[in-house]
Amino acid sequence: MTDASLLSLLIPAVGGQGGGVLLEWIVDAALAEGYPVHGTSIPGVAQRTGSTTYYVELSTERSHEPDRAPIFSLYPVPGALDVLLAPEFLEVGRSIELGFPSPARTTIIASTHRLYSIHEKIATGRGIYPVEQLHAAARAFARKLIAFDALALAREHGTEANAVLLGALAGSGALPLSADAYRDAIRAKNVQVNANLDGFEAGLAVATRSAAEAGLGGYATGSVTRSPESKLVELRPGRGGPTAPVADPQGPASAAERAAASSDLASDIERMTRDFPAELRPVLDQAIARLIDYQDRAYAERYLERLRPFVRDGDLELGRIVARHLAVWMTYEDAIRVAQLKTRMSRFERIRRDKGAGSGEIVVTDFLKPDLDELYGVLPYRLVAPFARWAERRWPHGRPAVGQHVKTTTVSGYLRVWVLTLLRPLRAISYRAHEEQARIDRWLAAVVRCASWDQALGWEVARAAQLVKGYGDVRLRMVGHFDRLLETVTRAAERETVNGGNFEAPRSLAARYRALVLQGPESESKAVALAAETLSRL
């Protein structure tokens, strides 16, 4: 028996996506059509410390003499893989890194949705692996590529992504199995048969259409979108357009009222931003909608007043940086905001939809752990400032927290959280607002001062606001880094003004410090050492 008569398929799965069931469907379909086949699963812990992999080898010769039966391997050979069937897009990158796919041989079928890995999540900054690089790698290492959002398509049809990917495998023609064999395998499993068959047909349509559009050996990638005329899907190149803001479900009840409210908001934003450059409008549209939802229209007007000085000078890049980070900072997540988001009806509707609960009862338990800063932060500044100063002296490295398990789908649990939203009108005089707004003003003043010395330095100091994030101990730590960066860079820049320098050193310091902190907790000590070394030389 030669290697040419064996076909190999690898499923590098993410835990909980039904990779084992997908393997069994493929094996059952092959056996039903008389092909000798062997499937192996290698348990792992998905994207934490290793992949859970499923491997199939199939003989293309239906009948064999007993002494010439195929000998199957338990694991794929790098460079000799015929099909890579990936339920999540980063798994394509992992397989390429291990050398399994070959551009001369491998058909890659992958869902383009992302389930972020632990390494992506622990980064303090944006640690998400660039999807453009994954697409480029997949195209480079595939003889034929079928990539689409199988998870979105599965949700549309009330099924799981593994059924959709099985349909895409059938439509790709990579294995010599008929579509009916796959359908029979789904029926034989006797689990969610109708839903899985619907998902199978949707995936089959995607692969069939991609083959027609791309041609043999071509590439077909894109995003899956619903067609208003049918349940089929279409592949569209490029990225989707901007998403319109969603109205608050706790506001107008009817669709007509929600549409009217959205139209009124758009008109308000248009009028409020009329004197700002058109280049900033995409940022301002989102920022103002966010600020109004967070507090009120007067709060959004305050945001614009703070932003205007950075726009008048004609430095659009500085205006863009400040506009983005100022909007995020001014909508910091205090206990009021958390309560507002957790008690919205749209949240429960989304949970019900994602879990397929339909009209059934759902139970949502929120695990909350507010610390003292968050508890007294929503109270008036004059009332709690003495206590807050004492608490900071008593617990300088982080205040105690109070753990709570609140069932927000019960009346009592919902009311416990919802009552915090009633404090929103008092947010402006709260202790947390006093501290946050004062630090924002110091940041903006530093940006103005540094930009007057050197344009690029002003940009870097403006970007420093990216460090202010998180809550509890994390925010306390990140605010400390922000304050340290601001102090060190400002002092270094002042020295440059005296010496008549070119500000290269403070620019480099600001960029390097921010980059180190955003890499994650393990690099923060390097940033602190960098600042200390700089101050020692001043």
Side-chain angles (χ1 to χ4, degrees):
M1 168 148 216
T2 64
D3 176 66
S5 62
L6 287 178
L7 295 176
S8 57
L9 179 146
L10 178 66
I11 306 171
V14 177
Q17 286 197 314
V21 174
L22 183 55
L23 171 79
E24 292 173 5
W25 280 335
I26 296 170
V27 170
D28 290 347
L31 291 175
E33 295 217 326
Y35 291 102
V37 64
H38 180 77
T40 307
S41 64
I42 301 176
V45 281
Q47 295 189 18
R48 291 161 181 83
T49 58
S51 293
T52 299
T53 57
Y54 302 91
Y55 180 61
V56 177
E57 280 196 357
L58 179 149
S59 172
T60 57
E61 300 176 8
R62 279 193 169 93
S63 60
H64 294 279
E65 298 177 6
D67 59 342
R68 293 178 58 83
I71 299 175
F72 296 112
S73 173
L74 302 179
Y75 201 70
V77 176
L81 187 67
D82 293 294
V83 182
L84 177 63
L85 189 58
E88 197 271 348
F89 210 41
L90 189 62
E91 294 301 323
V92 175
R94 288 179 180 271
S95 298
I96 291 173
E97 184 180 26
L98 295 172
F100 289 126
S102 164
R105 180 169 181 170
T106 308
T107 295
I108 296 179
I109 304 168
S111 178
T112 55
H113 79 276
R114 290 298 326 283
L115 297 177
Y116 300 126
S117 67
I118 295 300
H119 292 293
E120 290 174 303
K121 291 178 180 179
I122 64 174
T124 309
R126 181 177 174 83
I128 300 173
Y129 194 86
V131 70
E132 295 81 5
Q133 294 185 22
L134 289 175
H135 276 287
R139 288 192 296 269
F141 282 85
R143 181 183 66 85
K144 180 179 181 181
L145 173 63
I146 302 174
F148 63 102
D149 192 340
L151 182 60
L153 194 55
R155 286 174 174 169
E156 179 183 340
H157 290 270
T159 184
E160 299 297 333
N162 58 353
V164 176
L165 289 171
L166 185 72
L169 173 64
S172 71
L175 299 182
L177 306 178
S178 67
D180 285 338
Y182 293 108
R183 296 186 184 101
D184 290 341
I186 291 175
R187 295 188 184 98
K189 197 72 176 172
N190 200 30
V191 176
Q192 296 290 326
V193 173
N194 292 333
N196 286 329
L197 286 175
D198 286 345
F200 174 85
E201 298 300 337
L204 179 65
V206 169
T208 302
R209 184 172 300 181
S210 72
E213 291 180 354
L216 294 176
Y219 304 101
T221 62
S223 59
V224 177
T225 59
R226 280 186 287 184
S227 169
E229 293 82 12
S230 69
K231 285 291 185 179
L232 296 180
V233 298
E234 60 180 341
L235 290 172
R236 293 190 309 174
R239 302 180 182 179
T243 303
V246 179
D248 185 351
Q250 293 180 347
S254 71
E257 289 174 327
R258 287 197 299 269
S262 179
S263 177
D264 290 343
L265 177 60
S267 298
D268 276 349
I269 294 174
E270 170 69 27
R271 188 181 53 76
M272 293 166 67
T273 61
R274 190 172 299 154
D275 57 340
F276 283 84
E279 292 84 353
L280 293 181
R281 289 296 299 276
V283 176
L284 296 181
D285 288 350
Q286 295 186 46
I288 293 175
R290 175 174 176 147
L291 288 155
I292 292 175
D293 178 65
Y294 179 83
Q295 187 64 30
D296 52 31
R297 190 160 168 247
Y299 197 59
E301 292 281 7
R302 184 181 182 185
Y303 162 81
L304 293 175
E305 286 302 315
R306 279 173 156 168
L307 181 61
R308 278 191 174 89
F310 301 95
V311 177
R312 292 194 188 107
D313 296 336
D315 187 349
L316 287 178
E317 178 61 16
L318 182 61
R320 184 189 63 80
I321 297 171
V322 172
R324 179 175 180 270
H325 291 302
L326 180 59
V328 173
W329 198 340
M330 288 182 66
T331 53
Y332 58 89
E333 289 194 355
D334 57 4
I336 300 170
R337 181 61 168 174
V338 172
Q340 183 185 23
L341 296 174
K342 287 189 177 296
T343 56
R344 284 185 165 169
M345 291 301 105
S346 60
R347 178 188 181 224
F348 300 108
E349 292 169 0
R350 174 180 54 80
I351 293 173
R352 184 184 299 277
R353 182 178 62 252
D354 291 347
K355 299 302 179 182
S359 59
E361 180 183 2
I362 61 171
V363 177
V364 178
T365 301
D366 285 297
F367 293 79
L368 307 175
K369 197 176 181 180
D371 61 13
L372 282 181
D373 286 340
E374 294 172 281
L375 293 175
Y376 62 64
V378 298
L379 300 176
Y381 175 80
R382 293 180 179 273
L383 178 66
V384 300
F387 173 79
R389 288 192 289 268
W390 173 84
E392 290 173 5
R393 293 193 301 270
R394 174 66 178 82
W395 298 287
H397 302 296
R399 263 59 79 189
V402 181
Q404 301 179 63
H405 299 171
V406 183
K407 289 187 177 180
T408 45
T409 44
T410 65
V411 173
S412 60
Y414 182 88
L415 290 176
R416 279 178 62 188
V417 179
W418 174 81
V419 72
L420 287 173
T421 66
L422 301 179
L423 297 177
R424 186 164 74 159
L426 301 178
R427 179 186 271 143
I429 62 172
S430 68
Y431 180 85
R432 178 72 182 277
H434 180 275
E435 296 297 305
E436 295 289 350
Q437 301 300 339
R439 185 167 276 108
I440 289 173
D441 288 337
R442 289 199 300 272
W443 166 61
L444 293 176
V447 173
V448 170
R449 190 180 183 196
C450 291
S452 68
W453 294 332
D454 179 77
Q455 184 184 55
L457 178 61
W459 297 349
E460 288 300 334
V461 174
R463 293 188 181 104
Q466 188 180 9
L467 299 183
V468 184
K469 60 178 62 184
Y471 50 88
D473 292 345
V474 174
R475 191 175 187 91
L476 184 66
R477 195 177 76 244
M478 298 303 290
V479 163
H481 283 302
F482 171 80
D483 291 342
R484 187 179 295 108
L485 184 153
L486 216 60
E487 177 190 2
T488 308
V489 171
T490 302
R491 289 180 59 181
E494 288 173 345
R495 176 62 63 88
E496 291 292 340
T497 61
V498 173
N499 298 334
N502 59 7
F503 297 96
E504 176 61 32
R507 284 199 305 265
S508 177
L509 171 63
R512 179 60 178 159
Y513 192 104
R514 181 169 55 88
L516 285 171
V517 173
L518 293 178
Q519 285 176 11
E522 66 280 355
S523 298
E524 291 179 22
S525 59
K526 298 178 182 178
V528 174
L530 175 65
E533 180 184 353
T534 301
L535 289 175
S536 68
R537 294 199 304 264
L538 296 178

